[in-house]
Amino acid sequence: MIIDDKRALAYIVNCGRVFEIVSADNIALAEVNGWKVIIKKNEISEGDKCVFFEIDSKLPEAEWSEFLRPKHFKIKTMKLSKFNAISQGLLMPITLFPELADMEVGTDVTDILKVTYSVVEDNTRKSKNGDPDVKYKSMAQRHQKIFKKPIVRKIMKHKLGRKIMFLFFGKKKDKPLSFPTHFPFVHKTDEERCENMPWVLGYERPLIVTEKLDGTSSTYILERKGKKKFEFYVLSRNVRQKTPDQKCYHDKNIYWDMAIKNNIEQHLKEYLVANPDLKYVCIQGESVGSVQGNPLKLNEDELYVFNFIRSDVGRLSSIDGKEIIESWGMKFVPILETEYYVPTDMEAFKEYATAKSVVNPNVLREGIVLRDPTNDFSFKNVSREYLLKHGG
């Protein structure tokens, strides 16, 4: 669940309906919003106040989490084939956490309970503030001869040591610039999961459906600074990538690679020149290939655009955005349907998420993204089968 522009991995809920599982003596299936979770029989009842831990979570080593030690304290999508049941998340009684008893339903307790992402890299890549050590990595890159020395490497293992070294060798340019906030229609890309908003079932208007690609969020903005002056922004989810050689979370700076490969700065400049009343223009997409383990099995990195944003009207419809992007010789995310009505049944909706990828029909797609063409509303439906296959 996204709370205050940050994904909450653990939060307080009221348990929804509880279902019997045929032939199961000790377990039942509980509903939390749109999630289905395996629980111990008679431990939790409908309406009980609980703590819900989403998939992708890693719990701290504690008395209350000891039973998850064989799973390395990680919460993932599980399939109990014997009972034909899928469980996504962990639901625990609030009585196990007396310090949380007075907190309201919907409160994010991720930090209080010391819950982190199960994938180590995600704790910096998806965090609200980005990698706190990136300025030190940039500094070390500029002074490779010095920072390869054993004594210096030993100093850099300690927080105080890193700060002292930065006083002598660091520069202002080493500090990464955060995601800009002065573009009214440009935001970090992170749709909410349909399980956390079950009210979308039976949504009254037709939606545009696109394939969800498993890669890294990439944003490109060109801002008009004068009659013939422009400033180009290359951004990951949280950080401005100032130069092509800036270190990021991946083996190479795929954000700049895609900018250069697709000649993005020039395309945006020509668009601003042709539209002199615009203050900026932006495209956002997913860079796929040599990131996230290359689940699409691509031979080279590619950028698939899903947002085209103008300073005057905001995001264009997927249909209009696709037309512009493809006229530049670039790729737009596959549009699967243009008038899709969300069913009233969550199970039917979840089944719809699972299919082969349009990008590579030999692999499963991660899921789908749904957008209302009349406004900025969007959300995602991630395939359970995809998560089972990829350990999510």
Side-chain angles (χ1 to χ4, degrees), residues 121-186:
E121 181 193 66
D122 287 347
N123 287 298
T124 50
R125 186 170 65 86
K126 295 184 179 182
S127 72
K128 195 170 183 177
N129 300 313
D131 185 354
D133 292 327
V134 72
K135 66 179 182 180
Y136 304 125
K137 295 174 184 176
S138 177
M139 171 183 65
Q141 182 67 21
R142 287 191 297 101
H143 300 282
Q144 293 185 31
K145 190 174 181 180
I146 294 173
F147 283 83
K148 283 182 179 179
K149 293 181 178 181
I151 183 65
V152 176
R153 292 171 64 181
K154 188 174 182 180
I155 291 171
M156 290 295 289
K157 289 181 179 180
H158 304 281
K159 186 175 181 179
L160 180 59
R162 291 194 293 272
K163 288 184 176 181
I164 292 173
M165 294 300 289
F166 193 80
L167 287 174
F168 290 98
F169 299 100
K171 290 185 177 180
K172 186 177 180 180
K173 69 178 183 179
D174 291 320
K175 298 180 182 180
L177 299 177
S178 58
F179 198 97
T181 58
H182 65 284
F183 300 109
F185 295 112
V186 181

Side-chain angles (χ1 to χ4, degrees), residues 9-147:
L9 294 171
Y11 46 93
I12 298 174
V13 299
N14 286 128
C15 177
R17 294 179 296 174
V18 176
F19 305 90
E20 293 285 327
I21 299 177
V22 177
S23 303
D25 297 327
N26 301 314
I27 58 174
L29 200 62
E31 210 172 52
V32 178
N33 294 326
W35 302 99
K36 295 290 177 62
V37 190
I38 297 294
I39 60 172
K40 288 183 181 179
K41 231 175 195 179
N42 303 320
E43 182 180 65
I44 298 173
S45 301
E46 182 175 347
D48 283 358
K49 198 173 182 181
C50 303
V51 177
F52 180 61
F53 302 88
E54 286 196 2
I55 53 174
D56 299 332
S57 300
K58 182 177 181 180
L59 309 189
E61 295 188 27
E63 185 177 348
W64 55 269
S65 62
E66 183 60 32
F67 71 99
L68 279 173
R69 184 173 291 278
K71 301 287 186 181
H72 306 288
F73 301 96
K74 296 180 179 181
I75 310 297
K76 298 182 178 181
T77 300
M78 299 188 306
K79 185 172 185 178
L80 283 69
S81 301
K82 180 179 178 181
F83 304 113
N84 192 31
I86 290 180
S87 179
Q88 291 188 284
L90 172 67
L91 191 65
M92 302 185 75
I94 196 75
T95 51
L96 293 175
F97 310 95
E99 71 276 23
L100 309 180
D102 296 329
M103 293 185 179
E104 296 181 358
V105 169
T107 302
D108 179 2
V109 294
T110 304
D111 294 336
I112 295 173
L113 295 181
K114 295 181 172 57
V115 178
T116 60
Y117 280 98
S118 57
V119 178
V120 174
E121 181 193 66
D122 287 347
N123 287 298
T124 50
R125 186 170 65 86
K126 295 184 179 182
S127 72
K128 195 170 183 177
N129 300 313
D131 185 354
D133 292 327
V134 72
K135 66 179 182 180
Y136 304 125
K137 295 174 184 176
S138 177
M139 171 183 65
Q141 182 67 21
R142 287 191 297 101
H143 300 282
Q144 293 185 31
K145 190 174 181 180
I146 294 173
F147 283 83

Side-chain angles (χ1 to χ4, degrees), residues 337-352:
E337 294 196 45
T338 56
E339 292 190 352
Y340 175 77
Y341 284 90
V342 181
T344 56
D345 178 68
M346 180 62 81
E347 290 305 308
F349 188 34
K350 292 303 300 179
E351 288 177 11
Y352 176 64

